Amino acid sequence: MVQPLNIFVLTGAGVSAESGLKTFRDSDGLWTHNDLAELATPEGFARNPARVREFYSARRKILEIAAPNKAHLALARLEKEMTALGGSVFLCTQNVDDLHEKAGHRRVVHMHGELTVTRCTMCSGRWTDRGPLTAAQVCPECGTVGTTRPHVVWFGEMPMFMDQIEQALEEADLFVAIGTSGSVYPAAGFVAEARALGIPTCEINVTRSDNTHAFDRRLYGPATEKVGQWVGEVLGD
């Protein structure tokens, strides 16, 4: 009989790559062809907000037609069936896309924010927004014009929900990282925290991550194949 587990799942760009969304650090990644200092920092936004808004508006347009792949669907199944067994799945993603939600996952913690949310730099108000970001937008909370930015975490900014994440790590029976480079902190340090707590760890990735040595188990291959395989093992298929 399958045992109920509290599973902490960390996902990165690799889980969405097969849905047509580029990763960041691969040879054809977003930061290979774009200057992250200009497009993913508060300073870059201050220098040229129009350019930054245009970049994230283009990413929204791509996301609009992207569909969840077999890896997203397998994780949604894991959440549903593990919850029914009396366990839980805490899905913490570094991704700003909404493909986990589109796949049916009910609870997703976006530690790096959400591309489909707009934030006001004046009052910090935020709202769901899938359209283009423009200087003409009016904040629905404070009425200020020209203060919108994407609700994503840029370099130099603090990731979100860290208290919830730390608590979930402490309560986990298993830690799994999927499609992550293992090079972006603090997420890259979660496996070390899990090991210090005596929690078994597993990496699922298309290739070895920067911190692959820290994992007890490693599964290499396309996320659309390996995630479903792993979920099947956990659920006793």
Side-chain angles (χ1 to χ4, degrees):
M1 182 177 177
V2 178
Q3 296 296 315
L5 298 169
N6 294 323
I7 305 175
F8 188 114
V9 177
L10 171 69
T11 64
V15 81
S16 295
E18 292 175 81
S19 290
L21 301 184
K22 285 188 176 182
T23 59
F24 291 89
R25 298 169 186 278
D26 289 342
S27 58
D28 192 39
L30 284 170
W31 299 144
T32 304
H33 302 287
N34 297 283
D35 186 348
L36 65 86
E38 295 302 319
L39 298 173
T41 64
E43 294 79 13
F45 181 68
R47 283 191 294 269
N48 195 339
R51 182 184 178 193
V52 174
R53 290 187 180 115
E54 182 181 11
F55 173 74
Y56 286 94
S57 295
R59 291 186 65 193
R60 283 182 176 180
K61 193 170 183 178
I62 294 169
L63 179 58
E64 186 178 331
I65 60 173
N69 60 51
K70 290 180 180 179
H72 298 105
L73 295 170
L75 290 172
R77 178 200 170 199
L78 178 66
E79 178 192 50
K80 181 179 179 180
E81 297 193 21
M82 188 54 66
T83 301
L85 289 167
S88 67
V89 174
F90 184 90
L91 179 57
C92 172
T93 186
Q94 296 171 274
N95 299 337
V96 297
D97 65 62
D98 61 352
L99 296 186
H100 284 302
E101 288 90 343
K102 286 181 178 179
H105 214 100
R106 297 179 65 84
R107 182 188 181 199
V108 184
V109 174
H110 286 271
M111 67 179 296
H112 290 163
E114 299 177 71
L115 183 59
T116 58
V117 175
T118 295
R119 186 166 87 232
C120 174
T121 58
M122 181 66 68
C123 72
S124 297
R126 63 198 66 171
W127 58 96
T128 299
D129 184 9
R130 297 178 181 274
L133 290 151
T134 71
Q137 285 177 287
V138 180
C139 173
E141 295 197 18
C142 70
T144 307
V145 180
T147 56
T148 58
R149 58 162 281 181
H151 183 55
V152 299
V153 175
W154 287 328
F155 290 93
E157 296 181 328
M158 181 66 67
M160 303 174 189
F161 308 110
M162 289 306 298
D163 289 344
Q164 292 181 36
I165 291 168
E166 292 296 335
Q167 181 177 345
L169 273 172
E170 293 176 3
E171 296 173 352
D173 300 309
L174 175 63
F175 173 83
V176 183
I178 302 171
T180 65
S181 65
S183 60
V184 178
Y185 286 82
F190 292 170
V191 61
E193 293 184 48
R195 287 179 66 91
L197 292 165
I199 301 167
T201 59
C202 176
E203 171 178 66
I204 303 174
N205 215 346
V206 69
T207 187
R208 293 168 63 91
S209 66
D210 287 358
N211 60 356
T212 190
H213 62 278
F215 290 88
D216 301 314
R217 185 185 181 195
R218 306 167 189 90
L219 295 173
Y220 297 125
T224 50
E225 296 177 11
K226 295 301 179 180
V227 175
Q229 173 188 322
W230 170 75
V231 168
E233 290 177 10
V234 173
L235 295 177
D237 288 356

